[in-house]
Amino acid sequence: MYIKRAKVYGFGSLVEQSFEFDTELNVIYGPNEAGKSTLLAFLTSILFGFATKKRASEQYIPKDSGRYGGEVLLQEGSTQYLIRRTEGKNGGELVCFANDQQIDNDVFLNILKPLTKDLFRALFVFDTRSMLTIESLDKEALVTQILAIGAVNSGDWLKRSAALEKQAGQLYKPTGKKPEINQRLVDLQDIRLQISKQQAKLPQYEAIKTQLRQSEAQLQTIKSNYQIKTQQLRQLDKLEQLWPLYQQYQALKTSDQTNQKLSVTELQQLFDQYQQLQTKIDYQIQTMEQRRTETLSHVDSDSFYGQHLQDFQEIEQQLPHIQAQVARRKTLQTRIQENQLRLNTLKRDNPAITLDMQPISVEDLSTVSQLNAQIKNSESMLQQTSQSLMANQLQQTEVLRALDQIKVPVSEDQSVSAAENNNFLNGLVVFGGLLFIVGLFLPSFVKTLSLVGLGIIGLSIYQKRQVRQYDADAAAKAPDAEADPKSQQQSRLNELKKQADQLKINQQKSQQTLKQQQQQLTQIEQQYNLTPNQDLLKVQPLLTEMHQLDHESHKQQQELAQLNQQLVTFDDLTAFLKSDLGQYSTFSEAYFNVLKQQLSDYQDYVTESQESAVIQEQLQSWLKQQKVELADLKWQQQQILQQADLSDFSELQTQLETAKKATNDQERRRFLNQQLENDLPALAKYQKIEDLRTQKQAVQQDTEQIKQRRTKQQSEIQDLNVQLMHLATDNQLQQLQQQQANLEAEIVALTQQYLTAEMSAQWIRSTLSAASEDRYPQIIAKATRYFSILTLDKYQKIMLENDSLTVQTKDNLLFDVRELSLGTMEQLFLAIRLAFMQTMSDLVQMPVFLDDVLVNADTKRLQQMIQLIQEISQTNQVFFTTAHDAFMQELSAKHVIKMTDTKGG
């Protein structure tokens, strides 16, 4: 969108004035209080509304005119909008026209969305006051502005997200005491302890125990199947990582199938033979010219041809070779352009890859692949060890509780089942299941919720099993009055502590191993100048191609420079013929035709200037014989070209270069074959990466089904344990069990409310972030480039953290924004805001207002800033105000609006 025209009825000091604007850069020049800032405020107010009485300081009610307002003409695509706003309620009375037809105001207001007046000022208006806010800019504020632009009605969604997060915090906090769920969990723990004291120990469950053992055997079978599927999934993961190398291998395999008739050795032999013949031809021509020179030494040296006899002889000798060089130069220029175009395309499509990055060797590629698999395995082992350690701690807690219970005697008539304890664990299983299901639908960086849910389910099931087993053993041993329960529990506690110590040792070893593997991977990245978190296997084909293109271009440019030097030398040789050659382009077809005509005239002159007919006949006879031999040598050259089915020597050179490249590709393919040898049969089963991912997804689904079967089997085992514990009842226990059931139902209901609020808030944030297409890194990258330009490459990096903004010089010195000079601070603000505006231009594109922003810049940085402003004006209409003559000398604007002093600001 850009502004074409403005008409002011009355606005501050501006009364009944009209302005025409350029679509690119508009310079508004005038002294202080000439109305420059007032004009920018007028344009903003017409678009977004006048300030109300709540912001009386921002009102521009004219003092010398009865009319308040004006109109602007906008161009949006192929439609012109005339926007007229006059004094009225709610920001003024608005009337809109589209292509001279009045339209509903909402049509124009929808075009401006999601911009508001405040957001427009924050993004597109630059003045001294706004630039000072750079001190308080942080990452969260910038991301919030991105979200506000990135999706329709995102402001309302962000408010809704904040309200949901507040609601979730009132229900539950991990370390809180006042939230409802936290209080209910404390109450549930108290009831659970009371129920534990009333648990029964009955001997009548042998039949159920037999069924329980059978169910546990089935569970072991399911676990075995799960391990098999897990192994298949790991293999598919490995194939997916190797797929980029396999693609490169396939591409090189295709290049082996080129229709090259001759091998490199054969082409090299033909090339050497051709060069040997060319050497003989050059020697033959040199001998002929020497003999002719000796014979014609008495030619009249005062004539034009006599004066330039030696020059004509050199031209005649070099002309065929020069014509071949001209053809070769054209071929080289075309190839250099093609290689550079391909290299630029690769750089543009892959900005994260630079030429200082080196392709990884085949040996290191193998090491990277092994390290990736080892790191994944180490992380899995570390997670399993952590879960086992948590389970061990839970068991120690249960044993300690059992020791406390032993101190209180329990009569047989108080023995009842522990159903309520089981119900609490069932509630934890439900809670973990909800976390797991919700986590599956969240972005990858919060999928850890699924792992937390699985961990809660596993630990709950394990705890239930251990408690039931403990109760069953205690019930079986109840008749033995001589047994010492306290000693047994103490022995079990000591054993659990030993297990915990061993698990901690294993955990430390796993952490150390994982750290070493990650350090090895980092060393490889640093060795080849690769950036962290980059997929080393996937970037190798691109790196290899880019380095090959760069090497070929460098070699071709060297050859082109040598050719140009030889051509310049030849052109200097023909300087005495410039009167005839000057009207034609150097080395054009007409240029060579003139040279050939001059040589023909020279031959005529030589023939006419022979001292005697005998000498002439002898010379011509000898020259004829020499020309026959020369023609035979050229015929042999032509035979060499025909043997290879080639038209000229340049094509032979091209064929030889192509064959050498094919040989290099074959060598690379052999290396890749060694790398992929064990996995090639498996990779060959897939036509494309999507097929591999489809099978991987199928295996994942099978694995998930087995997990569900395992969960179901575990649930059946739990039910059997519940049956064992329901063999006895007690009135007091039933009351506690009912209280526990009611409390668990209340916790589940509150948990559902908490999860609904928390997940909804996260979903809103994730959705808005996806809608904004992750623009934050783009803004920082572009702002870094702009700031480097503005500061003459003094500063190379901008780091915007959660609560601070720092910059880094090319000497790697860090400065907080508050440590910068006022001029540099303004330039940093301008760089960040211009980068934000440019990055978001595909979503919203508006004019840019620069209100006297260059006053604190020195001469050199002023030139850089003006250059950047002119660059921005190519994509966004720019309004630049200034009161300084020095700026007018530096700026070359198409459109300058000169304003006189109107006492208006």
Side-chain angles (χ1 to χ4, degrees), residues 787 795 797-799 805-809 813-817 820 828:
F787 189 50
Y795 296 93
K797 190 174 182 180
I798 298 175
M799 291 167 284
L805 174 61
T806 56
V807 294
Q808 180 176 316
T809 67
L813 298 177
L814 295 177
F815 291 91
D816 186 85
V817 65
L820 302 177
L828 176 58

Side-chain angles (χ1 to χ4, degrees), residues 843-854:
L843 298 176
V844 56
Q845 190 172 32
M846 296 291 290
V848 182
F849 295 166
L850 304 176
D851 193 3
D852 215 9
V853 297
L854 306 181

Side-chain angles (χ1 to χ4, degrees), residues 373-387:
Q374 292 171 1
I375 289 173
K376 187 171 183 180
N377 185 52
S378 296
E379 290 174 342
S380 176
M381 292 179 62
L382 188 59
Q383 182 180 2
Q384 292 175 4
T385 303
S386 299
Q387 292 179 353

Side-chain angles (χ1 to χ4, degrees), residues 616-648:
Q616 180 68 22
E617 286 181 7
Q618 291 176 349
L619 178 62
Q620 291 299 327
S621 176
W622 183 82
L623 289 175
K624 183 177 181 180
Q625 180 181 357
Q626 296 301 314
K627 288 180 178 180
V628 170
E629 295 178 2
L630 187 63
D632 180 68
L633 291 174
K634 291 183 176 181
W635 178 83
Q636 293 180 38
Q637 284 185 325
Q638 193 62 33
Q639 289 298 112
I640 291 174
L641 294 175
Q642 290 180 359
Q643 181 179 350
D645 197 18
L646 302 172
S647 58
D648 55 26

Side-chain angles (χ1 to χ4, degrees), residues 109-335:
L109 295 178
N110 286 332
I111 295 176
L112 294 179
K113 286 184 178 179
L115 287 179
T116 62
K117 191 173 186 178
D118 291 338
L119 188 55
F120 174 80
R121 286 176 174 174
L123 299 182
F124 297 94
V125 178
F126 303 80
D127 55 28
T128 304
R129 287 180 298 177
S130 65
M131 285 187 174
L132 294 178
T133 61
I134 187 68
E135 295 183 5
S136 60
L137 183 64
D138 58 21
K139 181 177 180 181
E140 182 177 358
L142 184 59
V143 172
T144 300
Q145 290 181 355
I146 295 174
L147 295 179
I149 293 296
V152 178
N153 297 327
S154 55
D156 296 336
W157 282 108
L158 287 172
K159 293 179 182 178
R160 180 59 179 163
S161 175
L164 289 170
E165 289 175 348
K166 181 178 179 181
Q167 178 184 349
Q170 293 173 349
L171 290 172
Y172 175 76
K173 290 182 180 179
T175 59
K177 294 183 179 180
K178 294 184 178 180
E180 291 186 50
I181 294 179
N182 296 66
Q183 295 178 8
R184 298 301 181 273
L185 288 174
V186 172
D187 296 339
L188 183 62
Q189 186 67 16
D190 293 337
I191 294 177
R192 185 173 176 271
L193 290 174
Q194 295 179 46
I195 291 176
S196 297
K197 298 176 181 180
Q198 303 296 328
Q199 290 178 338
K201 301 177 181 63
L202 301 176
Q204 303 174 7
Y205 43 73
E206 288 299 329
I208 297 177
K209 288 182 67 175
T210 301
Q211 186 179 354
L212 181 62
R213 285 193 292 270
Q214 294 174 353
S215 297
E216 289 175 345
Q218 294 176 5
L219 180 60
Q220 290 300 324
T221 302
I222 293 174
K223 288 182 177 179
S224 177
N225 294 335
Y226 177 77
Q227 291 179 352
I228 294 173
K229 287 297 180 180
T230 302
Q231 181 64 30
Q232 293 179 3
L233 195 58
R234 281 198 290 266
Q235 177 64 16
L236 291 173
D237 282 337
K238 178 182 179 183
L239 295 180
E240 187 176 14
Q241 292 178 356
L242 292 176
W243 188 263
L245 294 178
Y246 179 70
Q247 283 184 311
Q248 187 179 359
Y249 173 84
Q250 289 294 94
L252 294 175
K253 182 179 180 181
T254 303
S255 65
D256 288 347
Q257 301 172 358
T258 55
N259 297 324
Q260 192 77 33
K261 296 181 179 179
L262 299 177
S263 65
V264 176
T265 303
E266 293 171 333
L267 287 171
Q268 186 65 52
Q269 291 176 352
L270 294 177
F271 180 86
D272 293 340
Q273 294 173 8
Y274 189 98
Q275 288 291 78
Q276 291 173 1
L277 290 173
Q278 186 62 44
T279 302
K280 293 181 180 179
I281 290 172
D282 294 339
Y283 177 79
Q284 192 82 355
I285 292 174
Q286 182 180 1
T287 303
M288 292 170 62
E289 291 301 324
Q290 183 179 359
R291 174 72 180 276
R292 183 158 48 184
T293 300
E294 292 174 355
T295 304
L296 300 178
S297 58
H298 61 282
V299 173
D300 184 8
S301 61
D302 294 331
S303 65
F304 174 79
Y305 295 103
Q307 292 175 353
H308 300 284
L309 179 64
Q310 186 66 30
D311 295 331
F312 275 108
Q313 290 175 353
E314 292 182 10
I315 290 172
E316 186 177 27
Q317 179 181 357
Q318 297 181 25
L319 184 58
H321 183 58
I322 290 299
Q323 287 179 307
Q325 287 180 322
V326 170
R328 177 60 178 167
R329 182 177 69 172
K330 184 176 180 180
T331 300
L332 283 174
Q333 289 171 339
T334 300
R335 290 180 181 172

Side-chain angles (χ1 to χ4, degrees), residues 202 416-420 422-423 720-729 737:
L202 301 176
V416 291
S417 67
E420 294 302 314
N422 184 66
N423 291 337
L720 292 174
N721 285 321
V722 170
Q723 294 177 33
L724 290 175
M725 299 182 66
H726 275 206
L727 295 177
T729 59
Q737 289 173 341

Side-chain angles (χ1 to χ4, degrees), residues 296-548:
L296 300 178
S297 58
H298 61 282
V299 173
D300 184 8
S301 61
D302 294 331
S303 65
F304 174 79
Y305 295 103
Q307 292 175 353
H308 300 284
L309 179 64
Q310 186 66 30
D311 295 331
F312 275 108
Q313 290 175 353
E314 292 182 10
I315 290 172
E316 186 177 27
Q317 179 181 357
Q318 297 181 25
L319 184 58
H321 183 58
I322 290 299
Q323 287 179 307
Q325 287 180 322
V326 170
R328 177 60 178 167
R329 182 177 69 172
K330 184 176 180 180
T331 300
L332 283 174
Q333 289 171 339
T334 300
R335 290 180 181 172
I336 290 173
Q337 184 177 5
E338 292 173 349
N339 288 344
Q340 195 61 41
L341 179 61
R342 174 60 178 165
L343 187 59
N344 291 337
T345 300
L346 291 175
K347 289 179 179 178
R348 185 187 67 243
D349 294 342
N350 304 276
I353 299 178
T354 59
L355 285 177
D356 62 334
M357 298 178 179
Q358 299 297 322
I360 300 179
S361 66
V362 175
E363 294 77 10
D364 286 341
L365 275 176
S366 177
T367 302
V368 168
S369 179
Q370 294 173 4
L371 284 174
N372 285 335
Q374 292 171 1
I375 289 173
K376 187 171 183 180
N377 185 52
S378 296
E379 290 174 342
S380 176
M381 292 179 62
L382 188 59
Q383 182 180 2
Q384 292 175 4
T385 303
S386 299
Q387 292 179 353
S388 299
L389 192 57
M390 291 175 62
N392 182 280
Q393 292 173 351
L394 286 174
Q395 292 179 50
Q396 289 188 38
T397 301
E398 291 301 325
V399 172
L400 290 172
R401 289 174 182 164
L403 287 172
D404 292 338
Q405 294 172 12
I406 290 172
K407 297 176 182 179
V408 180
V410 180
S411 60
E412 290 187 1
D413 57 342
Q414 294 175 328
S415 299
V416 291
S417 67
E420 294 302 314
N421 179 54
N422 184 66
N423 291 337
F424 168 71
L425 294 176
N426 286 339
L428 288 182
V429 171
V430 173
F431 179 73
L434 287 174
L435 284 180
F436 174 74
I437 294 172
V438 171
L440 291 177
F441 296 95
L442 293 178
S444 59
F445 61 89
V446 288
K447 283 187 181 296
T448 52
L449 281 176
S450 296
L451 296 177
V452 173
L454 287 176
I456 291 175
I457 293 173
L459 290 175
S460 300
I461 293 172
Y462 183 85
Q463 184 181 3
K464 288 175 62 178
R465 182 177 178 181
Q466 292 298 318
V467 171
R468 302 304 177 263
Q469 186 63 40
Y470 167 73
D471 292 339
D473 294 339
K477 297 176 182 180
D480 186 1
E482 300 298 327
D484 187 1
K486 185 174 182 179
S487 299
Q488 294 176 357
Q489 294 297 334
Q490 187 63 47
S491 299
R492 186 182 177 198
L493 180 62
N494 294 335
E495 182 63 27
L496 288 173
K497 288 182 177 180
K498 291 180 180 179
Q499 294 176 5
D501 293 338
Q502 185 60 42
L503 287 172
K504 289 178 181 178
I505 294 173
N506 295 341
Q507 186 181 47
Q508 292 177 354
K509 290 182 179 179
S510 298
Q511 290 174 344
Q512 184 177 4
T513 301
L514 178 60
K515 183 178 180 180
Q516 292 175 352
Q517 293 165 349
Q518 292 174 338
Q519 288 176 348
Q520 292 179 25
L521 194 59
T522 301
Q523 290 175 356
I524 294 178
E525 291 174 347
Q526 294 174 350
Q527 179 182 351
Y528 293 94
N529 296 327
L530 298 173
T531 58
N533 300 324
Q534 200 168 38
D535 193 328
L536 304 184
L537 299 177
K538 290 184 179 179
V539 301
Q540 292 315 299
L542 288 173
L543 283 176
T544 301
E545 183 177 359
M546 290 175 69
H547 277 270
Q548 288 179 349

Side-chain angles (χ1 to χ4, degrees), residues 718-747:
Q718 295 169 17
D719 292 337
L720 292 174
N721 285 321
V722 170
Q723 294 177 33
L724 290 175
M725 299 182 66
H726 275 206
L727 295 177
T729 59
D730 180 82
N731 291 335
Q732 182 180 0
L733 184 59
Q734 287 180 346
Q735 293 176 1
L736 291 173
Q737 289 173 341
Q738 185 61 44
Q739 292 177 17
Q740 183 183 18
N742 295 338
L743 193 55
E744 286 179 347
E746 187 178 355
I747 290 175

